[in-house]
Amino acid sequence: MASDTVIRETSIPGVLIIERPTYPDNRGFFHEVFRLNELKEASGIDFKPVQWSHSMSHPGVIRAVHTENWNKLIYPVTGKLFAPIVDVRPGSETFGKIETFTLDADAPDSPHQAIFLPAGMGNSICAFGESDLHYLCLVDEYWADAKAQGIAWDDPDLAIDWPVDKPIISERDRNNPSMRDLYPEHFKDK
């Protein structure tokens, strides 16, 4: 791994924050978001992306909590991103754990971080602040509607403290089931 690359583990095993150097000059800057060899060294996962998606969200939009079972690398290009990540791997010791990240790509001193999510993570994004959020996502499996799954953005068991008061949410995300509906075996004693 390059000496100026930082790949930090988080409280959820496998979820990594990737911070690589940014090289500014009078034209702007140059930034490598990730290198496969560094990610493999840090995660042990041989990430082989097959699809690259670009999403734009206006401030106040929540895209929540998507739980497709593939590896993802997410990267905000512009805007301010609030990203609650939920471990929904049924056999995981940290099942149900949430970790939140705020990445501000518009900040003059932004480290331009990316987040790597192993398969089985619930991925949410919320655009907040003043500008649109442009967000790139690399995945190692082709998206298909039949494989898409989600959890309610306002699930009381998750109790995510969203940074917006009146979120803009798709009809599909408004109708996602709760954690209890999807994983009743984890809530028998609660």
Side-chain angles (χ1 to χ4, degrees):
M1 185 177 327
S3 63
D4 49 1
T5 296
V6 176
I7 298 181
R8 266 191 341 262
E9 294 182 7
T10 67
S11 67
I12 301 175
V15 176
L16 304 170
I17 298 294
I18 301 169
E19 195 171 310
R20 301 200 81 256
T22 300
Y23 302 100
D25 64 22
N26 63 340
R27 301 166 296 167
F29 70 81
F30 176 79
H31 175 74
E32 291 179 354
V33 176
F34 91 107
R35 288 187 175 199
L36 185 59
N37 61 327
E38 293 173 346
L39 183 63
K40 186 172 182 179
E41 181 182 322
S43 69
I45 295 172
D46 194 14
F47 183 53
K48 299 222 187 291
V50 297
Q51 183 174 318
W52 187 18
S53 301
H54 178 180
S55 171
M56 188 279 288
S57 298
H58 301 301
V61 167
I62 292 176
R63 297 179 187 262
V65 172
H66 303 151
T67 60
E68 297 87 11
N69 195 30
W70 47 72
N71 298 305
K72 302 175 186 178
L73 183 89
I74 60 175
Y75 178 68
V77 178
T78 64
K80 196 168 183 181
L81 165 72
F82 174 73
I85 307 301
V86 183
D87 188 346
V88 293
R89 299 171 293 187
S92 171
E93 290 181 14
T94 55
F95 176 85
K97 181 169 182 52
I98 301 170
E99 185 154 354
T100 62
F101 305 93
T102 299
L103 307 179
D104 187 352
D106 289 343
D109 61 344
S110 174
H112 302 285
Q113 297 167 313
I115 305 173
F116 178 76
L117 307 171
M121 292 298 122
N123 175 34
S124 324
I125 66 166
C126 175
F128 70 113
E130 301 300 316
S131 61
D132 290 340
L133 170 68
H134 284 264
Y135 163 90
L136 301 176
C137 183
L138 281 171
V139 295
D140 62 1
E141 189 170 319
Y142 294 107
W143 189 91
D145 193 55
K147 297 177 187 176
Q149 184 176 323
I151 297 169
W153 71 278
D154 58 352
D155 186 312
D157 288 307
L158 297 179
I160 296 169
D161 187 14
W162 298 99
V164 294
D165 293 328
K166 295 178 182 176
I168 302 162
I169 301 170
S170 73
E171 192 61 31
R172 183 178 194 154
D173 281 347
R174 286 191 183 282
N175 293 308
N176 284 337
S178 70
M179 289 278 287
R180 287 178 186 266
D181 291 337
L182 290 170
Y183 307 100
E185 66 280 6
H186 285 278
F187 295 92
K188 287 180 182 173
D189 300 328
K190 294 181 181 180

